């Protein structure tokens, strides 16, 4: 039997009150993407169809975030949070007619890997009717405990609040992720789930005991605790971030990049890093960044939505903002900020500079303290600097303005008009000297002082 038609339902209707946040829990970010997006990506990578996401009333932003990952998703609204079984019921229009298995996942377990979901599909292939991902918890508090019969078969799940003291001592726990052989079987189990328990909720976990009563095959796939960490608080969010960063660093190093002090570099879920890249300590990389082969990022840089071409060097202390595109062998040095600008091959912007809404031609040299004045308080304007141009230190280029190829801007100029190719533009007060002025003043002041 092939599992290609497996379908996933992701529950995300809970408010996540322990986050103490105006933002719904599953929209809190890990490595630059909402937790929910990580779950959706793992589902896709496992070859499972992303069927639907269950949200609460008024949680349009959660639906939007899900749709931005996959526009084909169905968003279901669970009117009242009556429990996880009720949430799955809310999504039943999404799976009722499905021919393959149905997986139920929670939006707050963002570290789940596709490999583990594939192992679950494998158990279904091998004949299981209901599969639960379980894990051995150091501290099982708050989790449902897995119960086994005398033959070692999964017999049920007991929620913490309903557990006896002996059951609470068990440490093999429910991750929350469950798979059902068929939509029909899931619907039949859901119909039998009641709310006669400590919380008065409809627990999806009751499906396990009901399945056993119906003589169905129940199995557990074990995962490590880290992978199924449920994020309920800011502290758990930080723990999950640490795990995510460790994974990203490991894969980036495995691809041939050197991280001098790996634990000080922060990546995003989509950071692309080539070979023979060196990243020095204390670098933060936001979403949408591509770093090609042979790039050096020196210490203390902040980079987001930027492309860095092969052999380029950036930093120390540089900031690349969205739309910064550095071509091959470009140099961006210390205390330089670049936004929405192309820096062509071999161009140098080495010190104390702001380049925004601009293009810099190949091999141009931008002197220390150059500012592109791109904003007049109302709109943004472009600055175009030609190939091989030389911008003297401390120049202001008031956009919109074009500096031709090979042109030369004298230091300290304020440039408000286009400069033709190969011309010199000087725009600063001419220098004036007063012979002997300093000596005269000094002599006078010294005399007054000694009186
Ligand atoms: C649940 C499991 C527990 C498991 C734990 C793992 C049940 C009854 N218990 O407990 O066995 O060990 O997860 O983390 O399933 N949700 C809805 N609608 C609801 C209720 C919940 O969409 O009415 C969603 C939440 O947004 C969340 C997920 O379901 O994504 C789990 O709900 P939560 O309240 O966090 O369950 P736990 O008490 O953690
Ligand atoms: Ca939870």
């Amino acid at each position: 039997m092939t599992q290609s038609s497996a379908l996933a339902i992701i529950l995300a209707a809970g408010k996540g009150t322990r986050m103490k946040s105006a933002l719904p829990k599953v929209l809190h970010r890990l490595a630059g993407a909402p937790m929910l997006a990580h779950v959706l990506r793992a589902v896709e990578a496992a070859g499972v169809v992303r069927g639907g996401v269950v949200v609460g009333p008024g949680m349009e932003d959660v639906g939007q975030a899900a749709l931005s990952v996959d526009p084909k998703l169905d968003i279901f609204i669970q009117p009242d949070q009556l429990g996880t079984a009720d949430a799955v019921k809310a999504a039943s229009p999404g799976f009722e007619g499905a021919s393959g298995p149905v997986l139920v996942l929670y939006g707050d377990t963002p570290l789940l890997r596709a490999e583990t979901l594939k192992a679950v599909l494998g158990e279904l292939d091998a004949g299981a009717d209901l599969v639960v991902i379980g894990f051995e918890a150091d501290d099982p508090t708050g989790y449902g405990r897995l119960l086994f019969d005398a033959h070692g078969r999964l017999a049920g799940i007991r929620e913490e609040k309903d557990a006896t003291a002996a059951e609470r001592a068990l440490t093999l726990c429910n991750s929350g992720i469950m798979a059902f052989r068929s939509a029909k079987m899931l619907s039949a189990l859901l119909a039998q789930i009641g709310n006669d328990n400590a919380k008065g909720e409809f627990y999806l976990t009751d499906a396990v005991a009901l399945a056993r009563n119906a003589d169905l095959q129940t199995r557990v796939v074990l995962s490590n605790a880290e992978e199924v960490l449920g994020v309920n608080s800011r502290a758990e969010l930080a723990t999950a971030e640490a795990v995510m960063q460790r994974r990203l660093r490991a894969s980036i190093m495995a691809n041939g990049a050197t991280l001098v002090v790996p634990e000080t570099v922060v990546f995003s879920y989509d950071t692309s890093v080539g070979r023979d890249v060196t990243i020095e300590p204390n670098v933060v990389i936001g979403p949408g960044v591509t770093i090609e082969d042979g790039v050096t990022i020196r210490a203390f840089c902040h980079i987001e939505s930027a492309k860095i071409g092969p052999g380029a060097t950036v930093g120390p202390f540089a900031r690349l903002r969205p739309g910064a595109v550095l071509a091959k062998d470009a140099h961006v040095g210390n205390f330089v900020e670049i936004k929405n600008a192309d820096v062509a091959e071999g161009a140098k912007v080495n010190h104390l500079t702001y380049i925004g809404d601009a293009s810099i031609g190949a091999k141009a040299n931008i002197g220390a303290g150059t500012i592109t004045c791109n904003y007049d308080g109302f709109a943004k304007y472009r600055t175009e600097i030609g190939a091989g141009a030389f911008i003297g230190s401390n120049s202001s280029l008031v956009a919109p303005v074009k500096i031709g190829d090979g042109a030369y801007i004298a230091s300290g100029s304020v440039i408000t008009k286009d400069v033709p190719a190969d011309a010199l533009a000087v725009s600063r007060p001419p220098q004036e000297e007063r012979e002997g002025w300093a000596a005269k003043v000094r002599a006078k002041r010294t005399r007054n002082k000694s009186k």
Side-chain angles (χ1 to χ4, degrees), residues 11-14 78 81-84 87 106-107 143-144 159 174-175 203 205:
L11 308 189
Q78 181 192 20
Q81 273 63 76
L82 302 178
T84 44
Y106 295 167
Y143 289 109
E159 291 306 306
N174 170 30
S175 72
Y203 294 158
T205 44

Side-chain angles (χ1 to χ4, degrees), residues 2 5 45 54 58 64 144 164 209 219 228 232 252 292 297 300 305 313 337 342 354 361 373-374:
T2 166
S5 53
V54 180
Q64 279 312 315
T164 63
R219 302 258 174 83
V228 291
N232 298 305
I252 283 164
E292 296 196 43
I297 313 268
F300 296 100
S305 296
T313 65
E337 173 179 343
D342 293 304
Y354 173 64
C373 311
N374 60 328

Side-chain angles (χ1 to χ4, degrees), residues 7 19 21 23 39 68 97 108 127 163 167 196 206 220 229 259 304 343 360 369 371 376 404-405:
L7 188 109
M19 295 299 282
S21 175
L23 190 70
V39 177
S68 72
D108 66 353
E167 286 166 343
D196 181 16
D206 284 354
V220 177
L229 172 76
L259 307 181
E304 50 192 331
V343 180
I360 297 177
I371 306 285
D376 61 3
D405 291 352

Side-chain angles (χ1 to χ4, degrees), residues 288-292 303-309 320 323-327:
V289 173
T290 302
I291 300 172
E292 296 196 43
I303 301 171
E304 50 192 331
S305 296
K307 286 199 174 69
I308 305 176
L320 301 184
V325 178
L326 313 189

Side-chain angles (χ1 to χ4, degrees), residues 205-226:
T205 44
D206 284 354
V208 175
L210 291 166
R212 283 308 304 280
N213 289 344
D215 256 346
L216 297 170
Q217 292 279 333
T218 55
R219 302 258 174 83
V220 177
V221 164
L222 278 182
S223 120
N224 65 22
E226 182 178 280

